[in-house]
Amino acid sequence: MSPSHPNSLWAATATPAVADVPLRGEERADVCVIGGGFTGLSAALHLAEGGASVVVLEAGEVGSGASGRNGGQVIPGLKLDPGELEAELGSERGARLTELVGGAADFVFNLVRRHRIECDARQDGWIKACHSEAALRAASHTAEDWSRRGAAVEAIDRVRVAELTGTDAYIGGFVDHRGGVVQPLSYTRGLARAAQQAGARIHERSVAATPRRSGGEWVVSTSGGAVSAAQIIIGTNGYTDLAGARGPWPALARTVVPVYSYIAATRPLSDDLRRSILPKGQAVSDSRRLLRYFRLDAAGRMVMGGRGRTRESADRSDYANIIASALELYPQLGACDWEFVWGGKVAVTLDHLPHLHELAPGVHAALGYNGRGVAMATVMGKVLADRILDRGAPVFPESPLRPVPFHRWRRPVFELIVAWKRALDRMEGVNRRGRS
Ligand SMILES: Cc1cc2nc3c(=O)[nH]c(=O)nc-3n(C[C@H](O)[C@H](O)[C@H](O)COP(=O)(O)OP(=O)(O)OC[C@H]3O[C@@H](n4cnc5c(N)ncnc54)[C@H](O)[C@@H]3O)c2cc1C
């Protein structure tokens, strides 16, 4: 089933949808992009700006995948530290990749400015908040690693993290001043509009089948028509398995584990409450194995996210954990009404890195942002566009398709892993409370 917008805070408050129609009949383009999220739309925008003709096919609506559902936290960097990237790729390639990923949040905020995208963008910083001594050691290392490279990343202690977050649940962490927030669906729609203005054609409600070769070109069929193109981009991330074996590239779906993340949002908080929570407007992700991430939106609602069940759900009882974690951090939210609950699929890779593939000559894909796609998928769209436009030496390494072992059993396996991680997080919480 094609994703449509859930009844989310973002769907209720976004700028208007882009105007377009499903694909009807045959079209030609230099590049056909499958997927209307950050990856696909950023690729379409940069390709069209570079002079290529582009058609985007989106199964649901622009942003109805993860791009219009996420926490809107614009986080620079990857889960691996710069030093780890350099160890993995060698110093020169690692350093270039570090520059790319370290600049990912700036890249988003610059695009927002350049295209005048209305999306409540604020670059006030992103906080990594630590719940255990081990996590704090790792975070201090990350902060030091980045600041040694000149990045605006500042280690913070227990007092400072409490001042900035308004909770004493954390023992320190760091502020990455490059990060910030956007209204993610407005940002996605803004990217789509910018791509259209640059000449890209976007068709919603158009499910793409696997591209096939015909007459020296790739042909992508939908139920209403077909697009012929020399090159294809697949930007379907956690929704790659949407059309199953008829989807854009079945083997690609087996290289990531789609994991549900859930979010709950309150009604706008009173001024008093607002002053007591995240007074400087940063977004936060914590260090738990099942991380909690939270921020305020432009109207002062608490937006709290965390690991969901293994399915789409609008059932409020499925969000009890998320709301309980918000109340644990901020008991003053006890009387608040939680106005919206929704979730979406994140694509997780086993090596914690996004993957870039050339699936066949002229068929490119990028996916696997591990919950950091607001900045990183936008950047990867540009990386894909640059590859096709043949601009500059490639910075992001291409990897072979590596299927995740036991992919067929991913749901029960993942349920077990989640239960194990939850138990470890609880134990650490209990130990810390016992000591303090
Ligand atoms: C609840 C939640 C919270 C998150 N919070 C954050 C956060 O705060 N910060 C952060 O950086 N990241 C966050 N993420 C991750 C981030 O949203 C994603 O990494 C990012 O949106 C991926 O963008 P994408 O364009 O690659 O994929 P998506 O936005 O998922 O888009 C893929 C699109 O492909 C389409 N599609 C699939 N199959 C076909 C087909 N056959 N034909 C046509 N179209 C097809 C789908 O309909 C979908 O719209 C979160 C994700 C979720 C779900």
Side-chain angles (χ1 to χ4, degrees):
M1 209 173 69
S2 305
S4 52
H5 295 298
N7 179 24
S8 73
L9 164 62
W10 309 132
T13 59
T15 51
V18 293
D20 65 26
V21 287
L23 180 68
R24 293 275 170 263
E26 303 204 342
E27 292 196 13
R28 244 229 104 258
D30 296 325
V31 186
C32 175
V33 174
I34 303 174
F38 301 139
T39 304
L41 295 168
S42 167
L45 166 62
H46 291 101
L47 282 164
E49 284 183 331
S53 60
V54 187
V55 171
V56 179
L57 299 175
E58 164 52 47
E61 293 148 58
V62 158
S64 58
S67 297
R69 299 169 180 240
N70 60 71
Q73 303 200 3
V74 188
I75 308 171
L78 299 173
K79 296 218 164 145
L80 299 190
D81 290 343
E84 291 173 306
L85 289 179
E86 285 175 19
E88 188 99 343
L89 298 172
S91 58
E92 198 208 313
R93 286 178 70 205
R96 283 169 58 210
L97 184 57
T98 295
E99 197 182 329
L100 182 85
V101 303
D106 285 340
F107 185 73
V108 168
F109 290 109
N110 286 337
L111 267 185
V112 165
R113 272 190 292 274
R114 181 150 65 86
H115 295 284
R116 298 196 171 83
I117 298 176
E118 285 174 38
C119 60
D120 302 322
R122 290 182 59 170
Q123 196 168 11
D124 290 332
W126 170 76
I127 296 173
K128 172 87 176 191
C130 296
H131 75 296
S132 72
E133 297 291 348
L136 184 58
R137 277 193 298 279
S140 309
H141 180 269
T142 304
E144 197 189 303
D145 205 354
W146 276 115
S147 49
R148 208 169 345 110
R149 289 166 167 82
V153 181
E154 178 197 352
I156 52 175
D157 63 10
R158 183 191 287 268
V159 174
R160 186 73 182 135
V161 76
E163 274 168 16
L164 291 177
T165 58
T167 169
D168 60 7
Y170 298 110
I171 60 173
F174 63 81
V175 187
D176 191 327
H177 294 283
R178 302 167 297 180
V181 291
V182 290
Q183 204 285 20
L185 182 55
S186 296
Y187 171 54
T188 317
R189 287 177 173 170
L191 280 180
R193 249 177 239 111
Q196 283 178 322
Q197 276 158 16
R201 288 163 275 163
I202 300 177
H203 298 293
E204 295 180 315
R205 297 171 296 285
S206 302
V207 181
T210 311
R212 61 189 159 78
R213 289 300 279 175
S214 172
E217 287 203 305
W218 290 103
V219 178
V220 184
S221 301
T222 70
S223 61
V227 180
S228 320
Q231 313 247 14
I232 307 289
I233 285 178
I234 300 180
T236 48
N237 205 45
Y239 293 81
T240 306
D241 58 0
L242 188 71
R246 289 169 294 114
W249 207 273
L252 187 63
R254 294 193 287 274
T255 64
V256 292
V257 181
V259 170
Y260 280 92
S261 192
Y262 284 1
I263 300 184
T266 61
R267 289 191 189 281
L269 304 179
S270 67
D271 287 349
D272 270 1
L273 277 180
R274 226 190 275 192
R275 274 193 290 273
S276 71
I277 296 172
L278 298 168
K280 305 275 188 240
Q282 284 100 355
V284 182
S285 302
D286 81 10
S287 58
R288 285 180 169 75
R289 289 169 186 82
L290 299 184
L291 99 164
R292 300 164 175 183
Y293 53 95
F294 48 99
R295 55 169 289 190
L296 298 180
D297 82 337
R301 296 176 179 88
M302 164 54 77
V303 180
M304 171 63 74
R307 178 59 52 80
R309 308 199 56 168
T310 53
R311 55 180 159 78
E312 180 101 27
S313 171
D315 179 346
R316 284 180 173 255
S317 64
D318 285 337
Y319 292 78
N321 268 343
I322 309 276
I323 293 172
S325 60
L327 298 183
E328 191 187 313
L329 297 173
Y330 301 108
Q332 64 269 46
L333 292 177
C336 284
D337 183 20
W338 292 82
E339 195 179 3
F340 298 99
V341 294
W342 74 97
K345 284 198 276 183
V346 174
V348 171
T349 57
L350 295 189
D351 60 5
H352 307 296
L353 290 171
H355 293 168
L356 175 72
H357 305 291
E358 186 155 0
L359 302 166
V363 182
H364 314 265
L367 79 173
Y369 305 109
N370 297 281
R372 291 197 175 197
V374 178
M376 209 45 220
T378 309
V379 165
M380 289 303 276
K382 167 82 161 52
V383 167
L384 289 163
D386 285 348
R387 271 171 80 93
I388 289 177
L389 296 169
D390 215 1
R391 287 201 171 146
V395 176
F396 201 93
E398 193 183 317
S399 48
L401 279 192
R402 286 200 196 91
V404 170
F406 309 112
H407 196 264
R408 214 145 76 85
W409 307 106
R410 64 191 179 278
R411 285 203 177 84
V413 170
F414 233 75
E415 292 269 25
L416 281 175
I417 294 173
V418 164
W420 172 238
K421 287 184 172 182
R422 185 165 285 131
L424 289 176
D425 282 342
R426 278 211 188 105
M427 259 155 45
E428 276 174 346
V430 169
N431 289 344
R432 200 174 71 75
R433 276 195 294 276
R435 273 205 309 276
S436 55

